[in-house]
Amino acid sequence: MQYYLLIPFLPLGAFFVNLLLGRRVVRGQAHWPSTLAVLGSLAVSVMVLLDVLEGRTLNEDLYRWILSGDFQVSVGFLIDQLTAVMLIVVTSVSFLVHVYSIGYMHGDPGYYRFYAYLSLFTFSMLMLVMANNFLQLYFGWEAVGLCSYLLIGFWYQKRSASDAGKKAFIVNRFGDFGFGLGVIMVFLTFGTLYYLPVFDNAGDLAARSINILGLEVNLITLIALLLFCGAVGKSAQIPLHVWLPDAMEGPTPVSALIHAATMVTAGVFMVARLNPLFSLSPAAMDVVALVGGVTALFAATIALVQNDIKRVIAYSTISQLGYMFMACGVGAFAAGIFHLYTHAYFKALLFLCAGSVMHAMGGEVDMQRMGGLRRYMPVTYVTMLIASLSISGLPGLAGFFSKDEILFRAYSAGGVGVVVWVLGTVSALLTAFYSFRLVFLTFHGGFRGTEEQRHHLHESPKVMTVPLMLLCAGAIAAGWVGIPPLLGGGGQFSEFLAPVLGHPEAEASHAEEWMTMGLSVLVAAGGVLLALLFYLRNPEIPVRLAERFRPLYSLLWNKYYVDELYDAVVVRPTIFVARNVIVGFTDGALIEGVVNGLPGLVGWLGARVRRIQDGLLQHYGAVMALGLFLIFAIALITLS
Amino acid sequence: MDIGYPLLSTVIFLPILGGLSLLLIGKGQEGLVKWASLLISLTTFVLALPLFTGFDRTTHRMQFVERKPWIPDWGIEYYIGVDGISVLFVLLSVLITILCVLISWDSIKTKVKEFYISVLLIEGAMIGVFCSLDFFLFYVFWEAMLIPMYLIIGVWGGPRRLYAAIKFFLYTLVGSVLMLVGIIVLYLKTGTFNILELSAMSLPVSLQLWLFWAFFAAFAVKVPMFPVHTWLPDAHTEAPTAGSVILAAILIKMGAYGFLRFSLPLFPEAALAMTPVMLGLSVVAIIYGGLVCFAQTDLKRLIAYSSVSHMGFVTLGIFALNAQGVEGGILQMINHGIVTGALFLCVGIVYERTHSREIADYGGLATVMPVYAGFFMLFTLASIGLPGLNGFIGEFLIILGGFKAKKLAGVLAATGVIIGAGYMLWLYQRLFFNELNEKIVRIEPMQLKEALTLLCLAVLVLWIGVYPETFLGFMHESVGHLLKRVHYGLPDSMMAVRSVIGGY
């Protein structure tokens, strides 16, 4: 089964080809090495999936990476059911995005650079999902973050783009701070960083607590929460979600691949991969579920009022990632991964459709300037409509099965589960609403752009529309592998993943399952109808509502002012302390004052001491008198 | 291993004698001076290679040892050798010197001969410091290193070079004088200058404490540790590129090397007792040095301050006193030498073209110098510890070791990783991204020679990041031996004392 090594290393090879030869030799043909490499990875991934379906899994080391004292860690690969699913998701979406970009990025001066980064990203993401230990996971984690940074800031001449890239990297570092400490805690607790022995021994430690900085904390809870910090950053959950909307500065295929389908789901993958650890800590699980649930609702509310087509989809992504954490937090890891898998297709499709729209509109992202595009771009319109139906949860489409699974599992888990079920159901309403608001504003009604833009409107070339159609097939059919028994399906998806993710028994009745399902379909339909009413029938309603609830509207429009808050409590104080306290005072006045002052002091003392030998008898006399006095004083004190 | 020539003496004295022989070259033959220097540094490098290939990694003992009586009346010997702690520094020194010769090729225009002599003399003295096994010999090399460095800053430096050079000299001298007192006291108490013999003795704890602080003064200034770091930004900023590179890559490693070679094995009790202080100072350096970078407007000053932060990691690792910390610390010294050396080389490359160190004078460089931008990106990422590159291995091992030793220290050190990403990426953005600054529209692209020097270091960045065992493998035995000495190598009577100072 050694051929699995081709999966990550083909894209790595393509990266080096484009990096070294791209600027001079390959240039406009840069898509060939990268696209062929990822096609190869996809083919091998399918072979691996077939192997795994036959029950062959694998866990082996390539070489020992770091050895120091009792610490050692390898570069190694674990291929099991979860890995196989992730491999298919990553390579298939990546391949389609590679193809799409041939059209979308055509003629860009950084064409070779774009494909080099895409290949590097694909390599890193594959290393992440194939790792058999925590440190390689961390490697992939940081490396995908780097590619994200490079690709967000791909058009680096634009100030907003380079700012966004930097922001993404640094915000993620805050999460990775916790993640890194978590990895260290895992090693110090278990003496190894390999997944399997850690999972095997975790059960024995479930009750152990540790004193950290004066507090008694449950060890497993602490480890799980530290690791979860990383997931919060990478998957853009509250409070570290701020980087993802800005990440839309990157080229749209990047948003589809990295900021929708693959990288941002790494956090969900991590929690699912480490489910034996998380499951042992009810407290950590509740945190995961609540963070997910609150984020799902929070991001959905912001998406309601945004006008930038990509940002709406970005907030939608944050919200959908929240659903996945919701699932993990209630122990339904398979449901979380199921949603990750269907979401990859319909969300990548949404982004690529948005890219197709922007391509036609000359880079325009403001939906207020669009409208009526369905006449000009039928393929984009139909595929985007289907993707929107899928995310809204139209029965039969991919998004329906996975979202329904999550809501049902949350409800049946009880406790915190019911809370997040409510959050999730309300979010489902909002999701349908903002998704169709987007469709109606963009594709229906009259065109609101400039004459010049109207003149250029066209459907995208085949190289872009064919990937849309293929992803559309995914958005429709991807869920069919996980149809619940209630609807006559076999739930094969969670059965397949059961060896890794366990098999949670639902404690609810069929009636309750029908109820959650019916409710979610109902609210989704409500959301679509509301959008129809607001944006097709009666466009004054949203305007009047915005007038009427101005404070609420501006709260949402300004994304709850979180960016402003962070600027005020993190960014500005850091710069202030650096400039005024450290450089201005400690380093400047205090340390440098002493350093530069000392020679002066010596000089000053020298000048004083020199006076002793000034040749004036009265001074000598005075000093002699003082000396005699001191000698007598000392003698008296010691004698008496 | 028999290699047919006294290897260490050769790599110490070839540059020194070679440098002095440049005096014979007449005026006006500057090309000859440069080629001769390059030849000398290359030959030294090649002759030093058996250290890499022929080093026995299975023992902590000194290798390539040479021992001759020097001043027998006082028991002073010419005694040199390397072990797993010092060997990598010798190799780094011979490599960095070649790069310094190359990078100064066009940038040094006055007193060319004297400049190259200084560089070669420094090389010999630095290697001497790392190889000396006799205190007297060590001190001679230690002080000998100071003079050419003083000249390099003071003669070929920037506008405030004299202030910087004198500051550098005074700071270092004050530290060295205290160490000299320490060495003399050691000799008077034990009657030997032999470092290996001293490393196996047990000195009274009170004496250890005094000596620890005397040596600390010298080493802390060199590292530099907070709060005696303020010479570094001035020296780095004013020094010519080659000077900054030597300072960053090798010279400031002497302090941390001193802790490993002397403070730990000679005064183990004192070192253990002082661990909390050392960890505290290290953590302060990491955070403080990082925060200062946010306020810098001068390119070289920013990188200089980042060194304070990175060296904080090194001392944290060393005083974690466990295998991961110490090995991470040594590796991080090498990493810092490579990466910060490379960053100073990079700065030198644009400084040559613009004569400006102001960050605000740049912007959009990626458009006009794409290859250069790629190299700079790689070194930036290595500096902020991206996994797969060398900085990560060192930082991770240090934070792991630090956390093991004292949780709070590990946690605080890890914040340095966030801070580092902040200032380095901000720097990169201001230099390379955004609109092209009109001041640099006509900047020349990178020359092949410049690219090759950076390529050498880039290969090392990747090599250590992907397969660090090549380098960590050198130190396992020696570090293990050192730690045994610190934790267990003491007679029972001393163990009782340890519990007394434990609460210090």
Side-chain angles (χ1 to χ4, degrees):
Chain A
M1 221 170 135
Q2 283 290 332
Y3 56 82
Y4 74 89
L5 285 174
L6 287 172
I7 299 175
F9 291 115
L10 278 176
L12 183 66
F15 163 69
F16 278 112
V17 169
N18 273 335
L19 182 75
L20 300 176
L21 304 176
R23 204 163 61 92
R24 295 270 163 86
V25 186
V26 189
R27 291 156 70 162
Q29 303 301 314
H31 52 274
W32 282 112
S34 296
T35 311
L36 287 178
V38 71
L39 182 64
S41 299
L42 174 60
V44 180
S45 299
V46 172
M47 288 159 64
V48 165
L49 177 68
L50 295 176
D51 273 343
V52 174
L53 278 170
E54 285 176 16
R56 281 199 294 274
T57 59
L58 173 144
N59 179 10
E60 66 179 26
D61 286 349
L62 189 63
Y63 72 94
R64 192 171 62 199
W65 185 16
I66 308 176
L67 168 77
S68 176
D70 57 353
F71 175 82
Q72 62 164 316
V73 71
S74 294
V75 173
F77 299 92
L78 171 65
I79 295 182
D80 60 7
Q81 289 80 359
L82 179 60
T83 315
V85 169
M86 293 303 292
L87 287 179
I88 296 291
V89 171
V90 173
T91 51
S92 61
V93 178
S94 183
F95 170 66
L96 293 175
V97 166
H98 272 76
V99 175
Y100 177 94
S101 304
I102 298 172
Y104 191 85
M105 298 302 291
H106 180 75
D108 192 284
Y111 196 68
Y112 78 94
R113 202 158 51 86
F114 181 81
Y115 274 99
Y117 295 164
L118 273 194
S119 285
L120 184 64
F121 170 77
T122 309
F123 160 73
S124 313
M125 190 70 205
L126 292 167
M127 290 297 278
L128 189 161
V129 299
M130 294 172 81
N132 73 350
N133 63 70
F134 285 82
L135 207 64
Q136 189 180 329
L137 174 72
Y138 190 79
F139 162 78
W141 195 266
E142 293 282 309
V144 290
L146 164 70
C147 300
S148 163
Y149 162 78
L150 292 171
L151 283 163
I152 294 169
F154 180 74
W155 288 309
Y156 57 82
Q157 295 91 339
K158 250 170 77 188
R159 179 66 193 253
S160 54
S162 68
D163 274 343
K166 185 181 64 180
K167 182 172 171 183
F169 199 101
I170 294 169
V171 170
N172 268 295
R173 272 276 158 123
F174 277 90
D176 297 346
F177 166 73
F179 187 12
L181 290 177
V183 171
I184 287 174
M185 292 281 299
V186 167
F187 173 73
L188 294 180
T189 308
F190 297 96
T192 176
L193 283 180
Y194 287 110
Y195 291 145
L196 299 184
V198 169
F199 297 161
D200 289 342
N201 295 321
D204 305 337
L205 298 167
R208 198 198 287 181
S209 59
I210 175 181
N211 184 306
I212 184 129
L213 314 181
L215 289 170
E216 282 294 315
V217 222
N218 178 279
L219 188 58
I220 300 285
T221 303
L222 179 70
I223 291 176
L225 288 179
L226 282 172
L227 294 170
F228 184 60
C229 288
V232 168
K234 190 75 43 192
S235 297
Q237 299 292 292
I238 292 174
L240 297 179
H241 63 283
V242 287
W243 65 271
L244 186 59
D246 288 20
M248 298 302 119
E249 291 289 339
T252 307
V254 169
S255 312
L257 175 62
I258 301 186
H259 304 121
T262 55
M263 182 189 82
V264 290
T265 62
V268 182
F269 165 77
M270 186 238 275
V271 174
R273 170 56 84 203
L274 306 181
N275 71 84
L277 272 182
F278 279 86
S279 303
L280 287 173
S281 166
M285 290 291 272
D286 286 351
V287 171
V288 173
L290 280 174
V291 167
V294 171
T295 306
L297 183 63
F298 170 87
T301 55
I302 299 175
L304 296 176
V305 300
Q306 301 301 315
N307 282 331
D308 180 321
I309 186 169
K310 284 184 73 183
R311 289 193 184 230
V312 173
I313 309 177
Y315 280 106
S316 158
T317 305
I318 298 176
S319 174
Q320 297 298 311
L321 290 164
Y323 275 98
M324 300 174 206
F325 282 112
M326 228 187 258
C328 293
V330 299
F333 298 99
I337 294 296
F338 189 31
H339 197 54
L340 184 162
Y341 151 78
T342 59
H343 174 261
Y345 296 106
F346 63 71
K347 187 53 64 66
L349 177 56
L350 282 172
F351 267 120
L352 292 186
C353 288
S356 177
V357 168
M358 287 163 60
H359 197 63
M361 295 280 299
E364 181 65 64
V365 288
D366 188 350
M367 295 192 295
Q368 300 292 351
R369 307 238 183 97
M370 298 177 185
L373 295 184
R374 67 189 152 142
R375 286 188 295 279
Y376 304 94
M377 5 188 16
V379 179
T380 308
Y381 170 63
V382 171
T383 49
M384 192 147 197
L385 185 65
I386 293 172
S388 300
L389 288 170
S390 190
I391 190 178
S392 303
L394 180 79
L397 300 187
F400 165 76
F401 294 111
S402 54
K403 189 187 287 183
D404 179 62
E405 178 87 9
I406 291 175
L407 291 174
F408 170 62
R409 293 288 173 192
Y411 175 80
S412 63
V416 171
V418 179
V419 177
V420 298
W421 170 70
V422 173
L423 292 170
T425 308
V426 177
S427 306
L429 171 81
L430 303 180
T431 305
F433 177 81
Y434 67 67
S435 299
F436 276 85
R437 172 177 176 264
L438 187 155
V439 171
F440 295 146
L441 280 178
T442 311
F443 292 99
H444 291 253
F447 186 70
R448 296 179 296 272
T450 63
E451 254 332 289
E452 202 197 333
Q453 280 173 327
R454 181 201 294 277
H455 188 69
H456 282 112
L457 286 179
H458 60 277
E459 181 58 281
S460 298
K462 281 262 161 22
V463 72
M464 289 165 69
T465 51
V466 170
L468 294 185
M469 292 184 243
L470 290 172
L471 280 172
C472 188
I476 296 169
W480 296 351
V481 295
I483 300 173
L486 190 70
L487 296 177
Q492 295 94 336
F493 194 86
S494 51
E495 283 302 321
F496 175 62
L497 286 173
V500 188
L501 300 181
H503 205 271
E505 289 302 318
E507 300 203 354
S509 64
H510 280 322
E512 285 171 307
E513 194 170 354
W514 281 116
M515 187 275 286
T516 57
M517 191 183 293
L519 196 60
S520 72
V521 173
L522 214 63
V523 296
V528 177
L529 288 178
L530 220 54
L532 190 77
L533 178 69
F534 276 31
Y535 294 97
L536 283 189
R537 287 294 136 93
N538 211 342
E540 303 93 75
I541 296 181
V543 181
R544 263 189 285 135
L545 280 178
E547 288 292 318
R548 182 84 184 276
F549 300 99
R550 172 115 329 246
L552 179 67
Y553 178 79
S554 45
L555 185 67
L556 295 180
W557 175 251
N558 289 297
K559 305 153 248 171
Y560 296 92
Y561 297 99
V562 180
D563 277 322
E564 286 75 8
L565 178 73
Y566 288 172
D567 193 52
V569 295
V570 181
V571 182
R572 281 169 196 282
T574 307
I575 307 282
F576 178 84
V577 167
R579 287 211 177 120
N580 299 313
V581 181
I582 292 189
V583 172
F585 179 67
T586 357
D587 236 44
L590 207 63
I591 300 177
E592 284 290 81
V594 172
V595 170
N596 290 331
L598 266 181
L601 184 70
V602 172
W604 180 82
L605 273 179
R608 298 291 124 139
V609 175
R610 200 168 54 217
R611 293 227 185 125
I612 295 171
Q613 301 187 14
D614 53 5
L616 292 177
L617 275 177
Q618 62 268 42
H619 284 173
Y620 291 164
V623 171
M624 280 163 71
L626 190 70
L628 276 174
F629 169 75
L630 284 175
I631 290 169
F632 274 112
I634 293 166
L636 281 173
I637 291 166
T638 41
L639 288 176
S640 60
Chain B
M1 181 175 148
D2 186 31
I3 39 162
Y5 57 95
L7 189 144
L8 292 179
S9 291
T10 314
V11 295
I12 294 172
F13 289 104
L14 182 65
I16 292 178
L17 297 176
L20 292 175
S21 71
L22 293 184
L23 285 169
L24 301 175
I25 298 175
K27 260 203 160 78
Q29 292 189 292
E30 284 163 359
L32 184 61
V33 170
K34 291 173 191 170
W35 282 106
S37 310
L38 184 62
L39 185 70
I40 293 165
S41 57
L42 277 173
T43 316
T44 314
F45 178 78
V46 171
L47 291 175
L49 277 183
L51 285 178
F52 187 70
T53 53
F55 188 86
D56 181 359
R57 294 157 178 240
T58 58
T59 173
H60 67 266
R61 290 181 191 290
M62 288 294 163
Q63 302 179 37
F64 300 93
V65 173
E66 295 168 45
R67 192 171 186 176
K68 301 257 156 47
W70 182 14
I71 311 176
D73 290 348
W74 296 344
I76 295 171
E77 294 172 297
Y78 175 75
Y79 185 17
I80 53 177
V82 287
D83 68 353
I85 293 171
S86 51
V87 61
L88 289 174
F89 295 106
V90 176
L91 288 165
L92 187 65
S93 306
V94 293
L95 175 68
I96 290 289
T97 307
I98 301 175
L99 305 184
C100 286
V101 168
L102 283 175
I103 204 71
S104 308
W105 209 266
D106 300 319
S107 61
I108 298 297
K109 297 186 174 72
T110 54
K111 304 197 179 74
V112 175
K113 186 163 72 180
E114 289 78 359
F115 178 82
Y116 282 99
I117 293 172
S118 303
V119 169
L120 291 171
L121 287 181
I122 281 202
E123 181 186 14
M126 289 188 307
I127 298 172
V129 167
F130 289 123
C131 298
S132 297
L133 299 177
D134 180 282
F135 251 130
F136 192 85
L137 184 66
F138 167 79
Y139 195 77
V140 169
F141 282 128
W142 178 273
E143 293 294 339
M145 201 172 62
L146 200 57
I147 298 153
M149 195 65 224
Y150 171 75
L151 292 176
I152 286 180
I153 300 173
V155 176
W156 293 275
R160 291 175 71 232
R161 56 181 180 266
L162 272 182
Y163 172 74
I166 292 173
K167 197 168 176 182
F168 163 75
F169 197 84
L170 284 181
Y171 247 117
T172 325
L173 198 69
V174 169
S176 305
V177 164
L178 288 175
M179 180 170 72
L180 181 63
V181 174
I183 292 176
I184 292 169
V185 170
L186 262 179
Y187 178 70
L188 294 178
K189 296 276 175 189
T190 63
T192 178
F193 282 115
N194 185 318
I195 292 168
L196 294 185
E197 273 177 36
L198 285 166
S199 301
M201 285 180 187
S202 317
L203 300 169
V205 176
S206 57
L207 181 67
Q208 279 193 29
L209 280 169
W210 281 110
L211 290 172
F212 180 85
W213 286 111
F215 279 79
F216 171 83
F219 300 147
V221 166
K222 266 278 180 345
V223 167
M225 290 177 83
F226 176 86
V228 287
H229 62 276
T230 56
W231 65 269
L232 185 81
D234 285 312
H236 268 319
T237 312
E238 296 306 319
T241 303
S244 303
V245 172
I246 293 176
L247 261 178
I250 322 280
L251 228 97
I252 64 173
K253 305 296 152 14
M254 304 273 174
Y257 172 76
F259 285 130
L260 288 165
R261 177 64 75 225
F262 307 110
S263 301
L264 296 186
L266 267 63
F267 325 120
E269 293 288 84
L272 270 175
M274 289 306 145
T275 307
V277 182
M278 292 300 166
L279 294 182
L281 285 176
S282 306
V283 167
V284 171
I286 291 172
I287 296 174
Y288 185 97
L291 285 176
V292 186
C293 292
F294 282 106
Q296 301 307 316
T297 54
D298 181 311
L299 200 43
K300 279 180 112 177
R301 243 186 137 71
L302 193 154
I303 296 170
Y305 269 114
S306 80
S307 293
V308 175
S309 182
H310 287 157
M311 291 309 287
F313 274 104
V314 170
T315 49
L316 174 69
I318 291 173
F319 283 95
L321 294 177
N322 49 42
Q324 290 86 27
V326 176
E327 292 189 3
I330 299 173
L331 189 70
Q332 192 62 1
M333 283 194 248
I334 303 288
N335 291 340
H336 176 265
I338 294 168
V339 172
T340 308
L343 285 172
F344 277 121
L345 286 176
C346 286
V347 173
I349 288 171
V350 286
Y351 182 76
E352 267 315 288
R353 290 158 168 76
T354 62
H355 295 282
S356 169
R357 297 189 314 248
E358 281 300 310
I359 298 170
D361 285 347
Y362 295 91
L365 266 177
T367 311
V368 278
M369 300 178 80
V371 180
Y372 175 72
F375 276 116
F376 205 107
M377 173 57 79
L378 180 76
F379 298 125
T380 299
L381 295 173
S383 166
I384 64 180
L386 192 89
L389 305 180
N390 61 353
F392 172 73
I393 313 283
E395 275 183 12
F396 180 79
L397 288 175
I398 289 168
I399 295 174
L400 176 61
F403 194 86
K404 229 174 167 179
K406 189 126 188 71
K407 290 191 201 79
L408 184 61
V411 173
L412 291 176
T415 62
V417 176
I418 306 177
I419 297 172
Y423 64 75
M424 281 311 284
L425 292 183
W426 190 29
L427 172 70
Y428 194 86
Q429 181 191 25
R430 286 181 288 172
L431 294 178
F432 290 91
F433 293 159
N434 304 342
E435 295 275 318
L436 183 60
N437 191 324
E438 59 203 30
K439 289 183 188 163
I440 53 165
V441 173
R442 265 180 292 280
I443 200 164
E444 286 169 50
M446 210 164 41
Q447 297 169 7
L448 185 64
K449 188 167 61 208
E450 294 165 334
L452 284 177
T453 49
L454 294 182
L455 188 66
C456 290
L457 297 172
V459 167
L460 283 172
V461 164
L462 282 167
W463 185 352
I464 300 179
V466 174
Y467 195 72
E469 185 57 23
T470 317
F471 302 87
L472 286 173
F474 280 101
M475 37 183 115
H476 296 320
E477 287 301 320
S478 297
V479 168
H481 179 71
L482 174 66
L483 289 173
K484 234 181 272 163
R485 159 75 180 161
V486 174
H487 290 292
Y488 309 109
L490 304 157
D492 293 341
S493 60
M494 304 291 287
M495 300 301 267
V497 186
R498 174 185 296 177
S499 54
V500 178
I501 352 177
Y504 191 93

